[in-house]
Amino acid sequence: MYLWSTANPEAKDRQFIETAVGRYGISRVTAYADLAVVKTLLPTIGTSTRDYHRWRYNEMIIETYQMAKKRKDTKTMERAASSYAKYNRIDVEDEIAVPYDVIVVQPFTATSDPSVLGIKPIPNIQDKIQAMLKKYRAESMDIEDVEFEEADLELDSLFDNNPDNGE
């Protein structure tokens, strides 16, 4: 029934139950239980993957082509074939992946010059940095550095790992 659900994503729960009961001769209660399992396996059919939708589109076009062929409707056959070819990009050459050993690592040179990014360098930048450090240190004079000490936690007495102590 999982495969049936993937082949019929637009089917309602009622159709699932009827199919399961009719196909396998199970009770409705069992069919509802199976429906719950299948819905767990299919998180949301409505948000199917792109690959699924591509496959579904191709199936629909092939079915359209076959129906047109039975009716000898050459115009519809031609449109279905054209749509199939366009969608699957048959006229475009396949992309060839470049082997990893042929990929060349781009040269990288570290620099502290901002002009390589198109940024105009600030003259006397080190002096400005020192001035700002001095300014902000002066503004934060009222902040007091405090010493700290490690908390002396007696973890053995807080968390007794021995369950056989009789408590």
Side-chain angles (χ1 to χ4, degrees):
M1 289 309 294
Y2 171 82
L3 294 175
W4 180 87
S5 296
T6 57
N8 301 293
E10 69 283 345
K12 305 288 184 217
D13 292 351
R14 179 181 46 78
Q15 293 171 310
F16 178 94
I17 300 301
E18 290 171 3
T19 304
V21 169
R23 187 180 287 182
Y24 302 110
I26 59 176
S27 68
R28 293 183 76 76
V29 173
T30 305
Y32 276 106
D34 290 348
L35 176 62
V37 170
V38 169
K39 282 194 170 191
T40 302
L41 294 173
L42 302 169
T44 51
I45 284 183
T47 58
S48 300
T49 64
R50 257 186 122 80
D51 289 334
Y52 172 78
H53 288 296
R54 288 181 180 131
W55 171 82
R56 184 83 172 131
Y57 178 80
N58 282 337
E59 289 295 311
M60 290 167 37
I61 292 298
I62 290 169
E63 187 177 340
T64 302
Y65 182 86
Q66 290 170 346
M67 288 172 62
K69 188 175 182 180
K70 284 180 186 175
R71 288 186 313 209
K72 298 185 186 211
D73 182 1
T74 56
K75 206 170 215 174
T76 304
M77 286 171 59
E78 187 250 329
R79 282 191 302 220
S82 174
S83 176
Y84 182 86
K86 180 179 177 184
Y87 180 76
N88 289 296
R89 301 180 67 188
I90 293 173
D91 59 333
V92 178
E93 290 293 323
D94 291 336
E95 294 179 11
I96 300 171
V98 177
Y100 287 113
D101 60 340
V102 178
I103 298 174
V104 178
V105 178
Q106 295 297 312
F108 174 77
T109 306
T111 181
S112 61
D113 182 14
S115 63
V116 296
L117 297 173
I119 300 171
K120 186 177 176 184
I122 301 171
N124 302 327
I125 188 70
Q126 288 302 325
D127 295 337
K128 289 187 180 192
I129 291 173
Q130 292 304 320
M132 290 180 85
L133 284 173
K134 189 176 184 180
K135 173 186 170 188
Y136 289 118
R137 284 184 182 146
E139 288 178 4
S140 62
M141 288 299 277
D142 58 338
I143 297 175
E144 184 179 333
D145 272 348
V146 250
E147 293 290 324
F148 74 95
E149 62 183 59
E150 291 288 332
D152 186 22
L153 297 177
E154 298 175 6
L155 297 176
D156 293 337
S157 64
L158 292 173
F159 302 103
D160 189 14
N161 291 331
N162 186 3
D164 297 330
N165 64 0
E167 291 181 15

